[in-house]
Amino acid sequence: MFLRKSCVAAACGAMLLLSSVASAQTAAGTLQFQANGEELAVKGFKAPKLTKDGWTLKFSNIYIGLANIVAHQSAPAYNAEKGGDIAAKGKVDLPGRPVVDLVKGAGKDGLVRVGQVKAPAGHYNAISWKVVKAETGPSAGYATVFVGKATKGGKTVDFQLVSNEEATYRCGEYVGDERKGFLKAGGKSNIEMTFHLDHLFGNAELGAGDALNKGAIGVEAFVNGGKHTIALQGRHLGHAGEGHCNVQWH
């Protein structure tokens, strides 16, 4: 009699386990990770949006090595100005070390599909990632590579700008025309890593005394063309839309 009751209990336990698994699967959705170099990456710097020193830029490739990409359900909301770790009640990782090309890898909407995972439903209001040196491919050995042409006053030069600087970005909720990261059970949503190129090359529409232009390197530093190593530290290319990120350089 005891054995029979035990078997029934075991069967009930198995049924409950299967029910829990099915419930968890039902509550999951698909979260897509995107990278975005915006119009300046895809279309380049062209009038009236020139570099701070008046150059036109056209990129053929912008490679960025990524790792440890994580979407967070942050509670409380992450404060990038304060910094520190993201306190999350839930998170989901995108495995691997993808190298994105913000130019050739972009779709018609300008977005690069980095990857997607099944994730529990909820609001993913923070994202973190590392910029790391690529292990293989055309940007191997570098974390960030810009390839293209610069033009000014009838002069055109080919350039390749490289950086082996690695960093960790921790960002709060995406800021833009729409809110992102809301994932419903059985639905799809996306979360974005945004890269602002004007923080590196500047903006001719702003005055020379503008804080953005003071921090940008512009183009004059490599007008002889060729390959140049550049410093990215302190220029904070990574954002979540217009939302700021905390950056830790390694």
Side-chain angles (χ1 to χ4, degrees), residues 13 70 110 143 168 170 172 209 222 233 244 246 248:
V70 184
T168 297
R170 298 180 180 90
F222 53 86
Q233 187 166 343
H244 289 174
N246 178 266
Q248 178 185 356

Side-chain angles (χ1 to χ4, degrees), residues 163-183:
S163 171
N164 60 9
E165 295 167 296
E166 298 186 317
T168 297
Y169 284 85
R170 298 180 180 90
C171 316
E173 184 177 354
Y174 174 90
V175 177
D177 294 334
E178 61 176 313
R179 297 181 72 187
K180 297 190 176 187
F182 289 94
L183 183 61

Side-chain angles (χ1 to χ4, degrees), residues 1-247:
M1 190 71 172
F2 175 77
L3 179 61
R4 184 176 179 180
K5 287 183 178 179
S6 298
C7 290
V8 170
C12 289
M15 290 176 65
L16 287 171
L17 179 60
L18 289 172
S19 177
S20 298
V21 171
S23 177
Q25 291 175 341
T26 302
T30 300
L31 187 64
Q32 185 175 75
F33 292 83
Q34 302 172 333
N36 187 3
E38 304 180 307
E39 185 177 1
L40 292 178
V42 178
K43 296 185 178 180
F45 287 71
K46 58 183 182 180
K49 297 179 180 180
L50 302 175
T51 68
K52 75 171 189 177
D53 36 20
W55 286 78
T56 296
L57 295 183
K58 179 63 178 176
F59 301 102
S60 54
N61 306 93
I62 300 174
Y63 300 109
I64 300 180
L66 302 172
N68 298 94
I69 305 170
V70 184
H72 306 259
Q73 295 189 37
S74 179
Y78 184 66
N79 185 337
E81 302 298 329
K82 184 178 179 181
D85 293 331
I86 298 174
K89 61 181 181 180
K91 61 183 180 178
V92 60
D93 302 72
L94 181 68
R97 293 170 60 100
V99 178
V100 298
D101 185 339
L102 298 178
V103 184
K104 294 290 178 60
K108 292 182 179 180
D109 57 2
L111 299 172
V112 180
R113 272 67 183 177
V114 183
Q116 62 183 36
V117 294
K118 285 291 185 182
H123 181 201
Y124 291 87
N125 59 343
I127 184 170
S128 61
W129 72 89
K130 287 186 177 180
V131 173
V132 297
K133 287 178 278 192
E135 297 176 332
T136 59
S139 61
Y142 298 106
T144 309
V145 176
F146 298 87
V147 183
K149 295 179 182 291
T151 303
K152 182 180 180 182
K155 177 182 180 180
T156 298
V157 294
D158 296 310
F159 64 83
Q160 184 178 7
L161 310 179
V162 300
S163 171
N164 60 9
E165 295 167 296
E166 298 186 317
T168 297
Y169 284 85
R170 298 180 180 90
C171 316
E173 184 177 354
Y174 174 90
V175 177
D177 294 334
E178 61 176 313
R179 297 181 72 187
K180 297 190 176 187
F182 289 94
L183 183 61
K184 295 181 179 180
K188 294 182 179 180
S189 187
N190 53 66
I191 190 165
E192 182 179 306
M193 297 168 281
T194 317
F195 298 90
H196 289 188
L197 303 192
D198 54 353
H199 284 237
L200 179 59
F201 299 106
N203 183 338
E205 294 183 298
L206 302 176
D210 186 86
L212 184 145
N213 283 334
K214 284 184 175 181
I217 64 172
V219 179
E220 295 293 342
F222 53 86
V223 291
N224 59 326
K227 184 175 181 179
H228 297 263
T229 298
I230 58 173
L232 298 181
Q233 187 166 343
R235 295 190 167 93
H236 298 188
L237 297 184
H239 291 70
E242 296 298 323
H244 289 174
C245 302
N246 178 266
V247 189

